[in-house]
PDB file of all heavy atoms in Angstrom:
ATOM      1  N   GLN A 334      33.683  36.437  15.397  1.00  0.00           N
ATOM      2  CA  GLN A 334      34.581  35.487  16.063  1.00  0.00           C
ATOM      3  C   GLN A 334      35.368  36.177  17.185  1.00  0.00           C
ATOM      4  O   GLN A 334      35.503  35.637  18.283  1.00  0.00           O
ATOM      5  CB  GLN A 334      35.513  34.928  15.023  1.00  0.00           C
ATOM      6  CG  GLN A 334      34.782  33.800  14.197  1.00  0.00           C
ATOM      7  CD  GLN A 334      35.603  33.363  13.029  1.00  0.00           C
ATOM      8  OE1 GLN A 334      36.368  34.042  12.452  1.00  0.00           O
ATOM      9  NE2 GLN A 334      35.403  32.084  12.609  1.00  0.00           N
ATOM     10  N   GLN A 335      35.754  37.437  16.922  1.00  0.00           N
ATOM     11  CA  GLN A 335      36.418  38.176  17.990  1.00  0.00           C
ATOM     12  C   GLN A 335      35.576  38.295  19.271  1.00  0.00           C
ATOM     13  O   GLN A 335      35.997  38.110  20.321  1.00  0.00           O
ATOM     14  CB  GLN A 335      36.810  39.590  17.526  1.00  0.00           C
ATOM     15  CG  GLN A 335      37.938  39.607  16.446  1.00  0.00           C
ATOM     16  CD  GLN A 335      38.233  41.056  16.098  1.00  0.00           C
ATOM     17  OE1 GLN A 335      37.464  41.970  16.390  1.00  0.00           O
ATOM     18  NE2 GLN A 335      39.376  41.236  15.475  1.00  0.00           N
ATOM     19  N   ALA A 336      34.372  38.663  18.980  1.00  0.00           N
ATOM     20  CA  ALA A 336      33.396  38.850  20.111  1.00  0.00           C
ATOM     21  C   ALA A 336      33.139  37.583  20.793  1.00  0.00           C
ATOM     22  O   ALA A 336      33.021  37.512  22.040  1.00  0.00           O
ATOM     23  CB  ALA A 336      32.109  39.510  19.639  1.00  0.00           C
ATOM     24  N   ALA A 337      33.116  36.450  20.040  1.00  0.00           N
ATOM     25  CA  ALA A 337      32.852  35.155  20.687  1.00  0.00           C
ATOM     26  C   ALA A 337      33.960  34.777  21.631  1.00  0.00           C
ATOM     27  O   ALA A 337      33.750  34.198  22.678  1.00  0.00           O
ATOM     28  CB  ALA A 337      32.685  34.128  19.629  1.00  0.00           C
ATOM     29  N   GLU A 338      35.200  35.141  21.228  1.00  0.00           N
ATOM     30  CA  GLU A 338      36.298  34.738  22.131  1.00  0.00           C
ATOM     31  C   GLU A 338      36.220  35.593  23.391  1.00  0.00           C
ATOM     32  O   GLU A 338      36.622  35.073  24.462  1.00  0.00           O
ATOM     33  CB  GLU A 338      37.662  35.024  21.381  1.00  0.00           C
ATOM     34  CG  GLU A 338      37.907  34.120  20.172  1.00  0.00           C
ATOM     35  CD  GLU A 338      37.773  32.611  20.461  1.00  0.00           C
ATOM     36  OE1 GLU A 338      38.257  32.205  21.590  1.00  0.00           O
ATOM     37  OE2 GLU A 338      37.036  31.906  19.774  1.00  0.00           O
ATOM     38  N   ILE A 339      35.849  36.865  23.321  1.00  0.00           N
ATOM     39  CA  ILE A 339      35.748  37.653  24.505  1.00  0.00           C
ATOM     40  C   ILE A 339      34.608  37.011  25.380  1.00  0.00           C
ATOM     41  O   ILE A 339      34.801  36.880  26.595  1.00  0.00           O
ATOM     42  CB  ILE A 339      35.365  39.063  24.144  1.00  0.00           C
ATOM     43  CG1 ILE A 339      36.499  39.719  23.460  1.00  0.00           C
ATOM     44  CG2 ILE A 339      34.867  39.880  25.362  1.00  0.00           C
ATOM     45  CD1 ILE A 339      36.202  41.132  22.913  1.00  0.00           C
ATOM     46  N   ALA A 340      33.509  36.569  24.783  1.00  0.00           N
ATOM     47  CA  ALA A 340      32.403  35.937  25.550  1.00  0.00           C
ATOM     48  C   ALA A 340      32.947  34.695  26.214  1.00  0.00           C
ATOM     49  O   ALA A 340      32.567  34.396  27.367  1.00  0.00           O
ATOM     50  CB  ALA A 340      31.269  35.711  24.649  1.00  0.00           C
ATOM     51  N   LEU A 341      33.697  33.970  25.480  1.00  0.00           N
ATOM     52  CA  LEU A 341      34.247  32.667  26.005  1.00  0.00           C
ATOM     53  C   LEU A 341      35.143  32.898  27.206  1.00  0.00           C
ATOM     54  O   LEU A 341      35.003  32.304  28.294  1.00  0.00           O
ATOM     55  CB  LEU A 341      34.907  31.892  24.926  1.00  0.00           C
ATOM     56  CG  LEU A 341      35.561  30.589  25.330  1.00  0.00           C
ATOM     57  CD1 LEU A 341      34.547  29.681  25.931  1.00  0.00           C
ATOM     58  CD2 LEU A 341      36.232  29.953  24.105  1.00  0.00           C
ATOM     59  N   ALA A 342      35.966  33.846  27.049  1.00  0.00           N
ATOM     60  CA  ALA A 342      36.921  34.184  28.108  1.00  0.00           C
ATOM     61  C   ALA A 342      36.142  34.724  29.283  1.00  0.00           C
ATOM     62  O   ALA A 342      36.453  34.390  30.538  1.00  0.00           O
ATOM     63  CB  ALA A 342      37.947  35.234  27.638  1.00  0.00           C
ATOM     64  N   GLY A 343      35.117  35.514  28.969  1.00  0.00           N
ATOM     65  CA  GLY A 343      34.300  36.049  30.070  1.00  0.00           C
ATOM     66  C   GLY A 343      33.559  34.854  30.785  1.00  0.00           C
ATOM     67  O   GLY A 343      33.438  34.875  32.030  1.00  0.00           O
ATOM     68  N   PHE A 344      33.017  33.979  30.038  1.00  0.00           N
ATOM     69  CA  PHE A 344      32.354  32.763  30.716  1.00  0.00           C
ATOM     70  C   PHE A 344      33.344  32.052  31.610  1.00  0.00           C
ATOM     71  O   PHE A 344      32.958  31.677  32.698  1.00  0.00           O
ATOM     72  CB  PHE A 344      31.874  31.775  29.603  1.00  0.00           C
ATOM     73  CG  PHE A 344      31.351  30.461  30.122  1.00  0.00           C
ATOM     74  CD1 PHE A 344      30.109  30.407  30.665  1.00  0.00           C
ATOM     75  CD2 PHE A 344      32.183  29.437  30.163  1.00  0.00           C
ATOM     76  CE1 PHE A 344      29.644  29.237  31.274  1.00  0.00           C
ATOM     77  CE2 PHE A 344      31.791  28.170  30.712  1.00  0.00           C
ATOM     78  CZ  PHE A 344      30.484  28.087  31.233  1.00  0.00           C
TER      79      PHE A 344
END
Side-chain angles (χ1 to χ4, degrees):
Chain A
Q334 283 169 330
Q335 290 182 344
E338 294 306 317
I339 293 173
L341 176 58
F344 169 81

